[in-house]
Structures are given as structure tokens and as C-alpha cells.
Amino acid sequence: SMASGIPSSARTTAAITLVRHGDSEVEDLLEQAASRVTTSAVMLVPEPIAAMAKLAHDVELDLGTTAVVVDFGGSSFDVTLVRRTETGFGRIGEPASLPELGGFDVDNAVLAHVEEMLGIEVTTRVDIADHEGMFALRRLRAACRVAKEELSSVHETVINVDLPDIQTQVTIARDDLERGIGGALAEAVDLVGAVVADAGLTLDDLDVALVVGGSSRIPLLSYLITERTGLPIVADPLPELTVSLGAALFAEENPPE
């Protein structure tokens, strides 16, 4: 209802997103799981299609508009080409993914900075049987995640370290984070050119780069996409919700075309 203004009571379909379409085993599992929690009809919507639907809901897209959807979420970095068609939205070529790069890995880069500044490996200092220590380590990981998010809008922040034998603060700057993830993120952005080439297209055939996922807030991502592709970038104010809000459009009585 946030996406369309249509109350949930008017919906007759439950929309569930999946990273990529075509994996029948995954789709069957999702449909089985959904049947246990809802009596509504279930529609599986590929995440890049949902993202494109949200864009088309927000702005007028001409037929043939082609976007590269860059999804930098919590557990992976995914690149997909999507085109506006007369019947809706169509995927072009094959998507590419880096499952080893996601928001969790960026959190680990922040934690690595903390360890470097302290000169210790905090994760190995806490025994798994030490419940207080493990709880403190979880707090530290949460603080690293918050710091990552803050560095998308500020140039420097402070991480509180409150372990059983260490109580201090560590300053981290955006430059520190970018040094930690820059190489991996540059490699990920290079997937755009590879996906475009594999689809038999050139970057000139694309109209826009649509960035989604919570980690897409990281300024370095947009910088690298612009530098390496020259494409204009579009992003929701809340990019972590783009896919879910786009999927909600498919659950309306009259889904997007």
C-alpha cells in the first residue's frame, strides 16, 4: 500500500521476490512456504523486475527504456539488464552476481578497520563459551553496521568498542572504508560492462543505472558506476525498499503493465 495507495484489503495476490527467475527448485520452495502462511494466490517476482516496476511507477518510462539494475544488498552484488516493453518488463541477457560481496562483507571491512586500529583480532579474543563476551562481540558488529550506514552521509564517525577487556572508541573515516572495499567494489561494478557485452549490447544502448539495496547508499558505488559507464544513476530515497515496494505493485488488483 505504500507503493500504490491501495489498501491491503483490496489485494488478492501475495507477491514474493526472488533474486533470479528460472530456478524451479527455489520457486517451488518459495511457493510451498507461502502456502503455509497465506491463502492468497502467490506471484513470484524477480527482484530486478520489481525494481524496474517501482521506477516505472514513479516516473514515466518510454517503451524500450533499458536499465541496468545494480542490486547491492546484504548478501550479494547482482547486475541485471531490464527493458520496458509493451507487455511490461523484460530481462535482457543473463544476470551476473557476486555472492561474496554484500552489506555483511562491508560490515566486516569496518570491523577489520577496528582491529587494525587496536592492533588485535577481536573476533579471536572471545571464546564461544563466553556468553558475555559473545554478546559484547555482537554489539560491536552492530556498531560496525551502524558506522557503515552513517558513512553514507557523513565523512567520519566513531565506533564504540565495549568488550570485556577493552573499552575504547575507534574513529573511522569514509576514506578508510573505501580503501577497505574499493578493490572489491570496482571489480563488482565491472560486471556491468560484462553483462552488457554478453547481451550483445553496448553501454550506449542503456538509458540509466538503477541502484537498489541498502548498501547501494555507499557513495563509492555511484561514483564507480558513473566513472566506468557514464550512465545517469537513479535511486530511491530508501533503496533498501525499492524491490519490496515494486513487488507490492504486482499484488494489486491491477498489476503494472
Side-chain angles (χ1 to χ4, degrees), residues 52 55 61-70 78-84 90-95 189-211 225-226 228-234:
M52 193 70 164
L55 177 61
L61 291 184
D62 294 333
L63 291 180
T65 296
T66 305
V68 56
V69 180
V70 178
D78 305 292
V79 177
T80 310
L81 299 180
V82 181
R83 178 170 290 161
R84 184 74 159 99
R91 195 185 72 190
I92 304 172
E94 291 298 318
V189 170
D190 284 342
L191 286 179
V192 173
V195 168
V196 170
D198 288 346
L201 303 177
T202 70
L203 289 172
D204 290 337
D205 296 315
L206 273 59
D207 298 293
V208 67
L210 173 58
V211 295
I225 292 174
T226 300
R228 298 187 177 214
T229 71
L231 291 169
I233 293 175
V234 175

Side-chain angles (χ1 to χ4, degrees), residues 63-223:
L63 291 180
T65 296
T66 305
V68 56
V69 180
V70 178
D71 189 344
F72 192 13
S75 59
S76 65
F77 187 100
D78 305 292
V79 177
T80 310
L81 299 180
V82 181
R83 178 170 290 161
R84 184 74 159 99
T85 68
E86 291 185 355
T87 57
F89 313 94
R91 195 185 72 190
I92 304 172
E94 291 298 318
S97 179
L98 285 179
E100 64 272 19
L101 180 64
F104 180 74
D105 303 285
V106 181
D107 296 345
N108 283 340
V110 177
L111 180 59
H113 172 79
V114 171
E115 292 180 324
E116 181 182 358
M117 293 298 98
L118 296 179
I120 60 172
E121 292 187 8
V122 297
T123 54
T124 61
R125 292 174 68 90
V126 179
D127 189 277
I128 194 171
D130 180 359
H131 298 297
E132 180 183 352
M134 290 299 293
F135 183 69
L137 184 56
R138 285 196 294 271
R139 286 200 306 268
L140 177 57
R141 287 189 177 277
C144 289
R145 184 177 65 253
V146 170
K148 171 197 69 178
E149 295 168 354
E150 291 177 345
L151 289 174
S152 294
S153 57
V154 301
H155 288 279
E156 186 176 280
T157 190
V158 173
I159 302 167
N160 288 317
V161 180
D162 186 16
L163 296 173
D165 57 342
I166 305 173
Q167 293 81 43
T168 187
Q169 291 185 322
V170 173
T171 299
I172 182 170
R174 185 183 295 173
D175 289 345
D176 298 321
L177 177 59
E178 291 180 348
R179 279 193 296 271
I181 66 172
L185 196 54
E187 179 182 345
V189 170
D190 284 342
L191 286 179
V192 173
V195 168
V196 170
D198 288 346
L201 303 177
T202 70
L203 289 172
D204 290 337
D205 296 315
L206 273 59
D207 298 293
V208 67
L210 173 58
V211 295
V212 302
S215 295
S216 69
R217 293 175 179 273
I218 296 174
L220 182 60
L221 174 63
S222 294
Y223 172 82

Side-chain angles (χ1 to χ4, degrees), residues 23-36 44:
D23 189 329
S24 58
E25 183 176 351
V26 170
E27 292 175 11
D28 288 344
L29 287 173
L30 285 173
E31 290 177 343
Q32 291 171 22
S35 68
R36 297 174 182 173
L44 299 181

